[in-house]
Amino acid sequence: MRARPPAGAAVLRPEKTEAIIAAFFGELGGCGYEGLTMDKVAERAGVGKAALYRRWHSKKEMLIDLVGRYATEAVLPPDTGSLAGDLRAVAEDAINVLKNPLVRNVIRALVAERRRSPDLDAVITEKFIEPRRAAGAAMFQRAMDRGEIAPDSDPEMAQDMFGGPLYFKGVILDEDFPTDFAQRLTDGVLRSLGAVRLTR
């Protein structure tokens, strides 16, 4: 299911488009998917409902389109030259994103809805999960190539050990992150992998 390409009167000024996108994610984070309506999005964005329906047939189509669009913009792991540096950078980026209560609420809404919507599940898997798993695997492969971790290390398990605490503390427990959380998480994962050095 894809949004219709805007044309003619459906082409809005950039500021209106940004207002619609902000309103959509604001409503999704505040009300969840079940409570979200096209009427509420239009009212919050300060536009007529017709501006939305010219682009999207339904809130489900809008959800799939916007989530797919913005999932591709999420930050991928950098290449700092060391596994410790890579992990620390990713952890700090994730913590900065998860500090926003709206982001936490949007994630909860998406996790709940993707199990009910095969279309949304496919978009999240293709646009967000698979690219990041591949980038994470490449990050650990670089560490193997540099001799930082053993060649038989398990990159998939390492990614779960690294991402799990971030998700659990930020989204499930809804707690603030201590200032040293990124470093502690990095050190813990490196120790579990038997990394040859811990750099700070």
Side-chain angles (χ1 to χ4, degrees):
M1 183 182 298
R2 295 183 178 179
R4 290 169 288 186
V11 179
L12 299 176
R13 296 192 303 274
E15 61 270 22
K16 288 294 186 182
T17 298
E18 291 303 315
I20 290 172
I21 293 169
F24 170 79
F25 283 109
E27 287 296 319
L28 179 63
C31 305
Y33 182 75
E34 290 300 318
L36 184 146
T37 67
M38 299 288 271
D39 287 358
K40 289 181 179 179
V41 173
E43 181 180 358
R44 186 166 184 157
V47 301
K49 288 187 292 183
L52 272 62
Y53 282 106
R54 282 194 294 264
R55 292 184 172 206
W56 303 282
H57 291 283
S58 65
K59 70 175 186 178
K60 181 179 179 181
E61 186 176 297
M62 190 178 192
L63 176 72
I64 291 170
D65 177 44
L66 294 182
V67 168
R69 186 185 310 178
Y70 283 90
T72 60
E73 297 182 4
V75 177
L76 292 173
D79 183 359
T80 66
S82 73
L83 181 58
D86 292 352
L87 291 174
R88 176 67 183 263
V90 173
E92 289 176 344
D93 285 342
I95 288 169
N96 285 333
V97 170
L98 290 171
K99 284 179 179 178
N100 187 333
L102 176 61
V103 171
R104 297 184 185 198
N105 288 338
V106 167
I107 291 173
R108 294 185 192 106
L110 292 176
V111 169
E113 185 57 27
R114 69 178 290 221
R115 294 308 175 195
R116 295 190 289 263
S117 171
D119 291 336
L120 177 62
D121 182 57
V123 167
I124 291 176
T125 299
E126 177 186 354
K127 301 291 187 180
F128 185 83
I129 295 175
E130 289 180 349
R132 275 139 201 85
R133 297 295 284 189
M139 177 178 68
F140 286 105
Q141 184 60 54
R142 292 195 301 268
M144 293 181 200
D145 295 341
R146 290 190 295 257
E148 293 179 275
I149 57 178
D152 60 351
S153 297
D154 186 342
E156 185 173 352
M157 181 61 70
Q159 290 188 70
D160 291 342
M161 289 189 297
F162 181 68
L166 291 164
Y167 179 82
F168 186 73
K169 190 169 188 65
V171 179
I172 302 300
L173 297 182
D174 199 24
E175 294 181 350
D176 293 334
F177 291 93
T179 56
D180 63 344
F181 190 87
Q183 187 63 59
R184 287 164 50 205
L185 177 60
T186 297
D187 289 348
V189 172
L190 291 173
R191 280 193 294 269
S192 72
L193 292 170
V196 297
R197 65 179 184 272
L198 295 177
T199 59
R200 294 182 183 273

